[in-house]
Structures are given as structure tokens and as C-alpha cells.
């Protein structure tokens, strides 16, 4: 089976060629594209939704959109990854609205941090990641989107603007605001953590 | 450099290209760095931003290995194969044809509807033409009735139409009304001679000239065994007695 075969190290074909192969019914084109982009798409969904369940579901839906209507992608409007991010962003929004009452924000993240062997023993770092994660998820959607795209997915403002469908200036100002909010939230959580630590020390002394 | 200018540069720090410029040190950014040495407030803000960048970078590294389950690839591959089968099957082609023919079918339905509507509207005209037959076999021509009923005395062009005559249409072909014995053929019932005002003809679909509404018309009405009117034959008309 093609899915079981390891992907070749060097991928000579461009996205356009792979997409053309896929449209002609060649499985190899689809598998190459999937293996190339599944991780960034999944990570984007996970970072923006905070739920492993939603991230997996949305990743599947995003690639299904590509399977059903590959002709909708216009190479002139940007790289394929940004197109997939755009679809995923829309689907995450829809799915979060639908699952707002039922989805826990905890699922999927513990395994992420636990998977890192160097982090496993570092409790302080785990706590710090948890704080960052909570702070990102607590941001309003428009700020969360740009912080995930620019800071975590390493897109430029221009690329982020094409995903979020707004001007570069808007992305810049949202990013600035998002950073301010994040700094404030992280400061608060550190203070809260310090207070909790002091309280535990006092309890032990008593 | 003022604190305001410095903040503007700080705003661009989050951009990947912006932070690269910062480290490479252009003249503006050099001046910004000098400003941080002079202004402790701006220096602390810069430190906060850099701390956040470091934290976010670490967080990104920690989550960089995240990937969906391996089942997802198999599921999507199955969906891809199914999609390929659907697109290659004749059913899919058929659906494309169906999609293409939908507007044509809709247009056809509209045209047929319009034709039917125009025919239906033309029915009163037909009704007006009915009854202008020759009297060889005893039936009566309505145009004769009209002629005799007309106050001016001259004969109408063969119809009772009260509206404006339609241009380009030839003289109406008179339709023969059946004789009483023909009417009664095969139907059980009776024929009653009645006198009714001309205006009542409108109920039978025959339009009457406005000048003739005060006239009375004599007609033979055929009724079946249930008393339902099955036919009417106009015999003549006369002006109301003053």
C-alpha cells in the first residue's frame, strides 16, 4: 500500500505538479501533499483551538476539501499551505462554535509536552508551557490567530494577512496588541504562581 | 530618538524580517538600541518582548512534533480513492449533464407556461367568435342579433367584441351553433325558451356591446335531466318595452 511506504527524502515536484497529479487521480500526488502539510495544518489547528480532538477533525476536513475540490486552489493567490491554513481557520471557528459546550481545552496537549524527553523531567518548563498555552487560548480569536500564525507558525505579516484576509497593517497592530496581552497575562500568572508558592511554604513552616 | 518612535520600531519586532533587521543593525535600529541604554522604561519593555519571544520559541519547539494520528492518512486515502471512483463513473458524468440541462429545462417550463397562459387568455376571444354561423340548418347567427339590436342599425363586423379590435387579425370565422335536434341528440333533457337581458350573456362568456345591454335576448336553453344547463341557442333580441 502506498500509505505504508516511506516518503522519499527529496521531493522534486512542486506543489503545483503534485496537485495536478492528484487531480488526475494519482494517489502519489495526494500522499506527498498530505505528508508535506499534515503536520503544519494539524499544529496550526491545535494551537488555535487548544483541542487535539478538534485539531484532528479539522485536519481531516481540510484535506477532504482539497480532495473534493482541488481546482478551487488558485496558485496565484499564494502557496498551498496558506490556502490550507485559510480552510482550517474557517473550520476551527465553526467547530469551536459547535463544540463550545462539550470540548475540554485540555485534551491533546499533555501528550505533546510529555512526548519531549528533555522536557519530561523539567517540571518548571512544563508549567511555563502550560501558562503560555493558557495565555494564548485566553486571547480573543483575532489576536490568537495572528500570534499563532506569526509567532508559532513563523509566517510573515504578509502571509498571515493572506490567511486572515485582512491588510498587513491590521496584522501588525493585532500582533502588537496580542503581544501586550500575552505579556500581561503571563505576568499575572507568574504573580499568581508566586503567591501560591509562598502560601505553600507558609503552610509547611506552620 | 523619542520613546514614541521607539515604540513604533518595537511594534515591528514581532515580524520575522523585523527582528532580523534588529539584530543586523541598520542605522534606525542602532539608534533604537542607543535609546534603550538611555531610557530604562523602553529597555524594560524591550526585555519583556524578548522574553516573550524566547518563551514562544520554546513553546513552538515543544509542540513542533505534534502530528495527527496515522489512521487519518488511511482514512483520507480511502476518501481520495472513493472520490476518484465517483469522478470516473458514468453516474458522475450523468450528474454533470443533469446540472447543465437544469437551466434549459427551467427555461422550457417557463416558455410552456407562457404559451399556456396566452392561450388561456385568448379563450374569451374564442367565446366571442362562437355563434356566428350561417342559418342554413335553422341555427341563428349572433351577428344578426347584434345587427338587429344595434341602435344605429348597421351591422357589426361579425363579433360582439367590445374592446378595441386587434390589428392584423382577419375577419372572425363564424362558428356554427348546432340545431336543437342536434343538441338534444344523445342527451336526456328538455329545451326551454327563455328571455333574458343581454347583460346576462356576459356570464356565458359572450361580451356585449355597451349600447346593447338594455336589450333582451330570446334563447333556447337545453337542460339535462338534473336541471343543469347544457347548451344555449340564441334566437333573437328585442329592445325592452318602454
Amino acid at each position: 500500500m502506498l500509505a505504508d511506504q516511506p516518503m522519499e527524502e527529496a521531493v522534486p515536484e512542486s506543489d503545483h505538479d503534485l496537485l495536478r497529479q492528484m487531480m488526475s487521480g494519482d494517489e502519489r500526488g495526494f500522499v506527498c501533499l498530505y505528508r508535506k502539510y499534515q503536520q503544519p495544518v494539524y499544529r496550526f489547528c491545535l494551537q488555535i483551538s487548544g483541542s487535539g480532538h478538534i485539531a484532528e477533525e479539522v485536519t481531516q476536513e481540510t484535506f477532504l476539501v482539497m480532495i473534493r475540490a482541488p481546482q478551487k486552489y488558485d496558485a496565484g493567490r499564494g502557496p498551498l499551505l496558506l490556502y490550507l491554513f485559510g480552510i482550517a481557520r474557517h473550520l476551527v471557528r465553526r467547530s469551536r462554535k459547535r463544540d463550545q459546550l462539550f470540548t475540554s481545552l485540555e485534551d491533546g496537549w499533555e501528550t505533546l509536552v510529555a512526548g519531549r524527553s528533555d522536557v519530561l523531567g523539567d517540571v518548571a518548563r512544563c508549567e511555563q508551557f502550560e501558562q503560555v498555552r493558557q495565555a494564548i487560548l485566553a486571547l480573543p480569536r483575532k489576536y490568537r490567530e495572528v500570534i499563532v500564525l506569526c509567532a508559532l507558525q513563523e509566517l510573515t505579516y504578509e502571509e498571515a494577512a493572506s490567511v486572515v484576509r485582512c491588510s498587513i497593517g491590521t496584522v501588525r497592530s493585532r500582533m502588537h496588541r496580542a503581544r501586550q496581552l500575552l505579556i500581561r497575562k503571563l505576568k499575572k500568572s507568574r504573580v499568581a504562581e508566586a503567591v501560591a508558592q509562598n502560601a505553600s511554604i507558609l503552610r509547611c513552616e506552620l | 530618538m523619542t520613546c514614541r518612535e521607539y515604540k513604533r520600531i518595537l511594534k515591528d519586532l514581532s515580524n520575522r524580517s523585523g527582528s532580523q533587521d534588529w539584530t543586523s543593525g541598520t542605522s534606525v535600529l542602532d539608534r533604537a538600541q542607543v535609546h534603550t541604554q538611555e531610557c530604562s522604561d523602553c529597555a524594560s519593555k524591550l526585555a519583556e518582548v524578548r522574553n516573550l519571544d524566547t518563551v514562544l520559541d520554546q513553546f513552538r519547539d515543544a509542540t513542533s512534533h505534534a502530528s495527527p494520528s496515522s489512521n487519518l492518512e488511511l482514512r483520507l486515502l480511502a476518501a481520495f480513492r472513493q472520490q476518484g471512483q465517483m469522478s470516473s463513473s458514468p453516474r458522475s458524468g450523468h450528474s454533470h449533464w443533469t446540472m447543465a440541462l437544469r437551466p434549459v429545462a427551467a427555461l422550457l417550463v417557463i416558455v410552456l407556461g407562457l404559451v399556456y397562459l396566452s392561450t388561456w387568455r385568448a379563450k374569451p376571444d374564442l367565446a366571442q367568435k362562437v355563434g356566428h354561423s350561417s342559418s342554413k340548418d335553422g341555427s341563428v347567427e349572433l351577428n344578426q342579433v347584434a345587427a338587429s339590436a344595434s341602435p344605429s342599425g348597421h351591422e357589426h363586423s361579425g363579433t360582439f367584441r367590445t374592446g378595441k379590435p386587434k390589428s392584423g387579425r382577419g375577419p372572425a370565422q363564424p362558428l356554427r351553433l348546432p340545431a336543437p335536434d342536434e343538441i338534444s341528440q344523445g342527451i336526456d333533457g328538455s329545451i326551454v325558451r327563455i328571455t333574458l337581458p343581454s347583460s346576462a350573456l356576459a356570464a356565458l362568456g359572450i361580451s356585449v356591446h355597451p349600447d346593447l345591454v338594455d336589450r333582451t335576448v330570446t334563447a333556447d336553453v337545453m337542460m339535462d335531466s338534473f336541471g343543469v344547463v347544457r347548451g344555449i341557442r340564441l334566437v333573437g333580441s328585442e329592445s325592452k318595452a318602454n
Side-chain angles (χ1 to χ4, degrees):
Chain A
M1 186 188 280
L2 188 59
D4 299 332
Q5 293 167 4
M7 202 177 83
E8 292 165 16
E9 283 300 314
V11 183
E13 292 101 335
S14 65
D15 286 353
H16 183 68
D17 292 334
L18 291 172
L19 205 64
R20 212 169 41 196
Q21 279 180 25
M22 192 188 116
M23 284 167 83
S24 66
D26 187 355
E27 276 181 21
R28 195 175 152 274
F30 169 70
V31 170
C32 286
L33 282 175
Y34 174 76
R35 288 182 183 175
K36 191 174 175 183
Y37 292 123
Q38 48 105 11
Q39 215 172 5
V41 170
Y42 177 77
R43 221 164 45 217
F44 170 70
C45 298
L46 187 63
Q47 287 161 348
I48 213 162
S49 69
S51 158
H53 159 70
I54 290 181
E56 178 128 352
E57 189 184 298
V58 168
T59 306
Q60 176 174 316
E61 284 297 315
T62 304
F63 281 97
L64 278 176
V65 169
M66 197 178 79
I67 288 171
R68 284 171 191 153
Q71 71 280 357
K72 279 190 180 174
Y73 166 62
D74 179 12
R77 292 179 67 180
L80 183 63
L81 180 63
L82 300 187
Y83 172 69
L84 294 174
F85 276 168
I87 298 171
R89 170 181 169 260
H90 174 70
L91 291 171
V92 165
R93 239 163 88 179
R94 214 171 58 180
S95 139
R96 269 184 74 88
K97 268 184 198 169
R98 193 188 57 206
D99 296 351
Q100 213 163 18
L101 296 172
F102 309 105
T103 310
S104 160
L105 294 177
E106 303 300 324
D107 61 336
W109 284 85
E110 294 81 359
T111 51
L112 275 182
V113 180
R116 277 174 59 94
S117 57
D118 58 329
V119 175
L120 196 60
D122 195 345
V123 179
R125 186 172 281 186
C126 282
E127 282 175 1
Q128 192 188 33
F129 286 151
E130 181 57 25
Q131 284 171 5
V132 175
R133 182 181 84 85
Q134 292 290 357
I136 291 172
L137 290 175
L139 287 174
R141 186 179 50 79
K142 60 182 182 180
Y143 299 128
R144 191 169 64 239
E145 282 174 353
V146 289
I147 207 91
V148 166
L149 288 169
C150 297
L152 302 181
Q153 294 292 332
E154 299 182 88
L155 299 187
T156 61
Y157 283 175
E158 196 181 351
E159 288 169 336
S162 75
V163 174
V164 185
R165 292 187 180 179
C166 63
S167 68
I168 297 173
T170 306
V171 171
R172 182 182 282 116
S173 62
R174 281 183 188 176
M175 189 66 186
H176 181 64
R177 180 79 184 128
R179 294 169 80 87
Q180 283 181 333
L181 286 171
L182 269 182
I183 288 169
R184 205 178 299 163
K185 282 177 194 296
L186 288 173
K187 263 186 189 172
K188 265 186 196 174
S189 62
R190 273 172 207 153
V191 169
E193 192 185 351
V195 168
Q197 274 178 358
N198 288 339
S200 65
I201 291 164
L202 278 171
R203 269 198 301 273
C204 289
E205 283 176 352
L206 286 170
Chain B
M1 177 177 279
T2 61
C3 288
R4 197 173 178 177
E5 286 171 337
Y6 176 78
K7 275 181 188 171
R8 201 180 302 157
I9 294 169
L10 201 66
K11 213 172 175 180
D12 270 339
L13 259 182
S14 51
N15 195 358
R16 292 284 139 192
S17 53
S19 54
Q20 278 163 13
D21 287 344
W22 182 267
T23 50
S24 65
T26 59
S27 60
V28 177
L29 296 171
D30 280 342
R31 282 198 293 143
Q33 272 199 332
V34 170
H35 178 75
T36 56
Q37 288 164 4
E38 293 167 356
C39 176
S40 59
D41 194 30
C42 290
S44 67
K45 276 180 185 167
L46 176 66
E48 280 176 348
V49 169
R50 288 203 162 156
N51 278 341
L52 180 67
D53 277 342
T54 311
V55 167
L56 286 175
D57 284 346
Q58 286 173 353
F59 184 73
R60 188 182 61 239
D61 292 341
T63 57
S64 61
H65 69 283
S67 57
S69 65
S70 54
N71 287 339
L72 184 59
E73 184 176 337
L74 296 175
R75 285 203 300 268
L76 286 169
L77 203 59
F80 179 78
R81 284 174 187 153
Q82 198 180 358
Q83 182 74 18
Q85 282 170 3
M86 278 172 70
S87 60
S88 61
S89 68
R91 191 184 168 185
S92 169
H94 179 258
S95 69
H96 283 299
W97 273 107
T98 313
M99 290 292 284
L101 284 175
R102 268 182 195 175
V104 179
L107 197 68
L108 199 67
V109 167
I110 291 168
V111 169
L112 285 174
L114 287 173
V115 167
Y116 175 75
L117 205 65
S118 60
T119 313
W120 182 71
R121 279 188 179 170
K123 272 182 182 174
D125 289 347
L126 276 174
Q128 285 165 7
K129 289 173 193 170
V130 170
H132 306 287
S133 64
S134 63
S135 56
K136 266 185 185 175
D137 48 7
S139 60
V140 180
E141 283 184 352
L142 277 184
N143 52 4
Q144 287 174 356
V145 177
S148 60
S150 171
S152 55
H154 65 79
E155 198 172 330
H156 283 262
S157 63
T159 64
F160 272 105
R161 236 180 295 131
T162 54
K164 203 176 170 182
K166 287 178 184 174
S167 59
R169 195 188 271 189
Q173 294 297 316
L175 296 173
R176 191 178 64 81
L177 275 178
D181 53 338
E182 288 176 8
I183 292 172
S184 58
Q185 239 175 8
I187 300 171
D188 295 334
S190 56
I191 293 173
V192 183
R193 175 155 292 187
I194 57 165
T195 304
L196 71 163
S198 304
S199 56
L201 291 174
L204 302 171
I206 302 168
S207 54
V208 184
H209 194 279
D211 297 334
L212 306 177
V213 289
D214 57 341
R215 297 269 173 157
T216 54
V217 176
T218 308
D220 288 337
V221 176
M222 191 190 74
M223 292 186 293
D224 62 10
S225 52
F226 299 103
V228 179
V229 176
R230 303 300 299 264
I232 186 165
R233 188 169 71 95
L234 300 176
V235 178
S237 76
E238 56 189 20
S239 61
K240 272 182 184 172
N242 293 325

